Amino acid sequence: MAARRPLPTRRRPSDEVDWKHVGLRRTPQREVVLDLVRSCDTHPTAEWIYRHARQALSDISLATIYRTLRILKEKGLIWEFSGGANPSRFDGTSHVHEHLRCISCGLVADIDLEDVRDLRREVSERTGWTLGRWPVVFHGLCQPCATRRAAVRQAAEERGPGEPGASSGPEDDRDLCGGFW
Amino acid sequence: MAARRPLPTRRRPSDEVDWKHVGLRRTPQREVVLDLVRSCDTHPTAEWIYRHARQALSDISLATIYRTLRILKEKGLIWEFSGGANPSRFDGTSHVHEHLRCISCGLVADIDLEDVRDLRREVSERTGWTLGRWPVVFHGLCQPCATRRAAVRQAAEERGPGEPGASSGPEDDRDLCGGFW
DNA sequence: CTGATTGCAAAAGATTTGCAACCCC
DNA sequence: GGGGTTGCAAATCTTTTGCAATCAG
């Protein structure tokens, strides 16, 4: 274990965790990963977390990132959004909220919805499933993707028939918009 | 191209597709894949589709299955549920309906929910996203997984503290319950 | 101390892609 | 006939795993 940049002195999300009760040993790696996921609202990928974690723990490995994310998820401390062939994104579950996921660029956004509580109960009663506090995910297009897609579709229609559901991946979005579908 | 078992003479889902308008050439491979996804309600994986497609088209390749699924998805003819490190599952979108996905075994179930229509509009207005007819996915535990998990948790608590969110993969579920989380 | 955790490198999957042969329109 | 499609095999990419060294309690 090499360079370990002094971590911020202000209170960190990982301080709030009762590690012993959760059944996990408290390590710098786990603290950094949890803090990264909990403190940013960008729903980062494992790769992004890896890059940023290295700024604090220079020799943390990608394997540890994945291992830690999986464990934190299993303990219910964070939530994962699977992304098909593309990387998963993670969310620090601090309070109950729902999600929007863009089917074009994979962006995940949070939203608070009071009304969903009743809906969960209804669904649970009708199906026998346990819906607890797990998120409800709406799928659709974020504004940039909707705009881009509309442009593409119009161009296609001017060229001739076909392409009713033309898709277009994200062109820019260098950092966190990996592209899901 | 070899053995091509006589396909069922009854009307098939793929007959309803206006291939030319969609902008795709009509091929036996595409018909079989679309028919399989549209005619079963089990939300199959690519692998499952491959195994079954071979019964009609003995030398169809897995690459074609994936390519076709991707294309059909891009054209809006089917819907994909990403599964992290685990295989995606597909759904033939015939009418608007919502989904339940088990966070333990990955099972996907359909459910009709009138009330969701208003909710979509509300979310759309509040966020500016385009939610169209894309599905809303509830996450939770299917009955078998909920039962199994409760048992595991109880056993853990009898042994001592910790394990508040213990996870357990599917043990049986040979055919279609791949395991997501 | 002692078992849990980590890094490293290699493995495992799922999905994609290059390319020549082939088939639908 | 010609360009869209397919099969095959190899490549890619994300995530997991085996194992010896190291660390937390």
Side-chain angles (χ1 to χ4, degrees):
Chain A
M1 194 147 295
R4 187 185 299 184
R5 171 195 284 197
L7 292 170
T9 49
R10 65 181 150 71
R11 200 153 186 65
R12 294 185 295 142
S14 59
D15 295 333
E16 249 110 84
V17 175
D18 181 344
W19 296 92
K20 178 167 294 185
H21 177 261
V22 171
L24 293 178
R25 199 167 275 189
R26 176 176 195 155
T27 70
Q29 289 88 343
R30 286 174 180 170
E31 290 180 329
V32 168
V33 171
L34 183 55
D35 286 338
L36 281 171
V37 178
R38 287 239 166 140
S39 62
C40 80
D41 56 357
T42 52
H43 302 95
T45 61
E47 167 63 26
W48 184 93
I49 294 166
Y50 175 53
R51 287 205 310 278
H52 289 254
R54 290 224 281 183
Q55 294 176 10
L57 268 46
S58 68
D59 61 359
I60 192 173
S61 76
L62 188 53
T64 296
I65 302 290
Y66 276 108
R67 240 180 328 224
T68 304
L69 287 171
R70 176 201 268 267
I71 289 172
L72 293 178
K73 178 184 67 185
E74 286 174 0
K75 297 300 184 182
L77 296 173
I78 63 176
W79 175 255
E80 171 181 4
F81 291 87
S82 310
N86 300 77
S88 289
R89 282 148 183 276
F90 298 85
D91 178 277
T93 34
S94 40
H95 71 294
V96 176
H97 62 266
E98 320 309 332
H99 294 90
L100 287 138
R101 187 162 94 174
C102 179
I103 61 168
S104 180
C105 76
L107 183 73
V108 174
D110 294 332
I111 183 170
D112 281 301
L113 276 183
E114 288 297 328
D115 319 11
V116 170
R117 216 161 297 155
D118 295 334
L119 208 53
R120 271 211 186 77
R121 181 153 6 93
E122 183 191 340
V123 174
S124 188
E125 280 167 7
R126 277 173 53 184
T127 61
W129 284 46
T130 304
L131 298 188
R133 60 207 177 296
W134 289 291
V136 173
V137 183
F138 290 79
H139 290 88
L141 295 170
C142 63
Q143 284 183 317
C145 285
T147 306
R148 191 184 311 134
R149 196 172 273 221
V152 170
R153 185 176 311 187
Q154 189 176 352
E157 273 168 9
E158 280 168 9
R159 242 183 285 111
E163 312 299 306
S167 77
S168 70
E171 265 79 49
D172 28 313
D173 312 18
R174 269 286 150 274
D175 194 30
L176 256 179
C177 221
F180 272 97
W181 301 83
Chain B
M1 196 147 294
R4 188 185 298 183
R5 171 197 285 198
L7 292 169
T9 49
R10 64 180 150 71
R11 200 152 186 66
R12 294 185 295 142
S14 59
D15 294 334
E16 250 109 84
V17 175
D18 181 343
W19 295 91
K20 177 167 296 185
H21 178 260
V22 171
L24 293 177
R25 197 167 277 187
R26 175 177 195 154
T27 71
Q29 290 87 343
R30 287 174 180 170
E31 290 180 328
V32 167
V33 171
L34 184 56
D35 286 338
L36 280 171
V37 178
R38 287 238 165 141
S39 62
C40 80
D41 57 356
T42 52
H43 302 96
T45 61
E47 167 64 26
W48 184 94
I49 294 167
Y50 175 53
R51 286 205 310 276
H52 289 253
R54 291 226 281 183
Q55 295 176 9
L57 267 47
S58 68
D59 61 358
I60 192 172
S61 76
L62 189 52
T64 295
I65 302 290
Y66 276 108
R67 240 180 328 224
T68 304
L69 287 171
R70 178 201 265 268
I71 290 172
L72 294 178
K73 178 183 67 186
E74 285 172 0
K75 297 300 184 181
L77 296 174
I78 63 175
W79 175 254
E80 170 180 5
F81 291 88
S82 311
N86 301 77
S88 288
R89 282 147 183 276
F90 298 84
D91 177 276
T93 34
S94 40
H95 71 293
V96 177
H97 61 266
E98 319 310 331
H99 293 90
L100 288 136
R101 187 163 94 174
C102 179
I103 61 170
S104 180
C105 76
L107 183 74
V108 174
D110 294 331
I111 182 170
D112 280 301
L113 276 182
E114 288 297 326
D115 318 9
V116 169
R117 217 162 296 156
D118 296 334
L119 208 54
R120 271 208 185 78
R121 180 152 10 90
E122 182 191 339
V123 173
S124 188
E125 280 167 6
R126 277 173 54 184
T127 62
W129 283 46
T130 304
L131 299 188
R133 60 209 176 296
W134 289 291
V136 173
V137 183
F138 289 79
H139 290 88
L141 295 169
C142 63
Q143 284 183 315
C145 285
T147 305
R148 190 185 311 132
R149 197 172 272 221
V152 170
R153 184 176 311 188
Q154 188 177 354
E157 272 167 10
E158 280 168 9
R159 243 183 286 109
E163 312 300 307
S167 78
S168 70
E171 264 80 50
D172 29 314
D173 313 19
R174 268 289 149 271
D175 194 30
L176 256 180
C177 219
F180 271 98
W181 300 83

